[in-house]
Amino acid sequence: MNLCDIKSIKQLMAMFSLNFRKEFGQNFLTDNMVVEDIADACSSDENAAILEIGPGAGSLTKELALRYRKVIAVEIDNGLIPLLKYTLGDFKNVTLVNADVMKLNLGDLLSDSFAEGSVSVCANLPYYITTPIMMSLLESGLPFDSITVMIQQEVADRLCASAGSKAYGAITAVLNYYGTAERLFTVTSDKFLPEPKVDSAVIKITLHKQKPYVPLDEATFFRTIRAAFEQRRKTLPNALSAVFGELSKETITKIITEKCSLPADIRGERLDTAQFAALSDELFREIKKNV
Ligand code: SAM
């Protein structure tokens, strides 16, 4: 059965008395080439285990199962489970888990997979929860090799932006701390059923095996990034002063200009992740001095 064929998807949904559930971001892919390209991009290791988030009717799951050692597919919608058992019944290397991925302990679920070899994430992510899912995967500290996801085009542009560009934001700087993001290709909205309002893009995040910069204090590092982008239009000394109330603006300006060799009128959006790490180390040292 062609799981990307619009007629087949509609027949399957009718057979299991299902409707597309907007609250779960259900827009299923209807283009075999796109599904195959996502599955291909996911890993270069055929022995990899793949965590798929939101298998839907199973089109991507099937392509992953054909390419990789095993697939663990987590689907929130219990109505889709009988349908998935029907469409993926022949694939003995697929494990279906009926759960909300945000509530799962992924460390427990994937402990065997991590012990056996590399683990990557692959998903056509539900739009309503894209950023929280991505952040929770990155912050989990689990040793995923890579995360290949289809997300809204605008979010993809933001995540893959370079420092100083319009699309660059706090989330870009934070993501670069965990890995390297690469924009693979665009997928227009007519490749989905039902059609979403916006186009999508597939990105691949390759996680750092070892982080290139380890800030003295992670909390201060994230606080520095948040502060710099909270008021984008302000210069960095002003933006940081608004959040780091324990330091005077004069001290903050000195840290920026003297310790970090940056101009006093620079805006936070020009700093890359390494510069944020260096700046946050200096801020942390100064805060510590004053306690
Ligand atoms: N992979 C399928 C495809 O490409 O055709 C479906 C993708 S659809 C955009 C998103 C899928 O994620 C839906 O099947 C939806 O039910 C599921 N989903 C939404 N929220 C979820 C969550 N919190 N945990 C697990 N699955 C979720």
Side-chain angles (χ1 to χ4, degrees):
M1 184 190 316
N2 180 355
L3 295 173
C4 285
D5 175 57
I6 293 183
K7 217 169 136 195
S8 304
I9 299 174
K10 284 184 177 166
Q11 272 172 358
L12 276 169
M13 295 296 273
M15 189 171 150
F16 289 89
S17 310
L18 298 171
N19 292 310
F20 292 99
R21 295 182 66 173
K22 216 175 169 179
E23 73 271 30
F24 291 148
Q26 290 181 353
N27 303 94
F28 295 175
L29 272 162
T30 57
D31 188 304
N32 283 301
M33 289 245 293
V34 171
V35 172
E36 287 172 30
D37 286 349
I38 299 173
D40 281 340
C42 191
S43 175
S44 52
D45 175 11
E46 60 183 32
N47 270 317
I50 310 294
L51 167 69
E52 189 197 0
I53 301 165
S59 57
L60 180 57
T61 326
K62 181 180 155 193
E63 293 304 324
L64 292 169
L66 288 169
R67 286 165 177 73
Y68 304 104
R69 185 172 57 85
K70 70 174 179 181
V71 182
I72 297 136
V74 178
E75 174 55 59
I76 195 172
D77 183 357
N78 56 5
L80 281 171
I81 300 298
L83 183 154
L84 284 162
K85 284 186 177 154
Y86 176 75
T87 55
L88 300 171
D90 290 342
F91 292 92
K92 302 297 169 229
N93 60 341
V94 174
T95 306
L96 290 173
V97 180
N98 180 205
D100 177 346
V101 74
M102 294 299 287
K103 295 191 179 145
L104 265 184
N105 183 329
L106 291 178
D108 285 351
L109 178 71
L110 302 170
S111 62
D112 286 349
S113 304
F114 283 119
E116 288 157 4
S118 75
V119 183
S120 286
V121 179
C122 191
N124 170 12
L125 279 183
Y127 290 171
Y128 78 105
I129 200 176
T130 302
T131 307
I133 290 182
M134 304 268 291
M135 289 318 295
S136 97
L137 289 171
L138 294 172
E139 287 167 359
S140 70
L142 294 170
F144 294 113
D145 257 43
S146 63
I147 301 173
T148 303
V149 282
M150 168 122 68
I151 54 182
Q152 301 99 301
Q153 179 149 246
E154 200 191 324
V155 182
D157 290 341
R158 185 168 285 281
L159 292 177
C160 300
S162 337
S165 67
K166 206 172 150 206
Y168 186 67
I171 193 166
T172 328
V174 170
L175 184 146
N176 291 339
Y177 172 59
Y178 293 106
T180 309
E182 184 192 352
R183 192 185 199 287
L184 300 184
F185 52 88
T186 300
V187 183
T188 49
S189 61
D190 59 328
K191 303 281 194 289
F192 298 85
L193 181 74
E195 270 189 43
K197 289 198 179 71
V198 292
D199 290 341
S200 299
V202 177
I203 66 162
K204 180 171 184 173
I205 303 164
T206 305
L207 279 94
H208 300 312
K209 295 261 175 282
Q210 251 180 336
K211 294 202 180 85
Y213 8 80
V214 183
L216 285 175
D217 181 60
E218 243 186 19
T220 308
F221 171 65
F222 293 131
R223 193 177 170 211
T224 307
I225 294 177
R226 254 197 333 271
F229 287 95
E230 225 156 62
Q231 288 153 316
R232 265 183 104 105
R233 280 157 196 265
K234 285 194 174 177
T235 62
L236 192 56
N238 283 334
L240 294 183
S241 302
V243 171
F244 286 85
E246 64 271 55
L247 298 177
S248 70
K249 188 176 160 195
E250 196 191 346
T251 306
I252 291 175
T253 308
K254 264 191 166 175
I255 288 176
I256 292 169
T257 54
E258 290 174 21
K259 304 263 184 187
C260 299
S261 310
L262 295 167
D265 61 352
I266 196 167
R267 287 174 213 282
E269 67 203 29
R270 301 212 73 85
L271 271 62
D272 63 20
T273 309
Q275 288 171 309
F276 276 121
L279 172 60
S280 82
D281 283 355
E282 296 303 338
L283 291 166
F284 182 68
R285 282 197 190 97
E286 197 59 38
I287 294 165
K288 278 273 153 202
K289 243 199 257 171
N290 298 338
V291 234

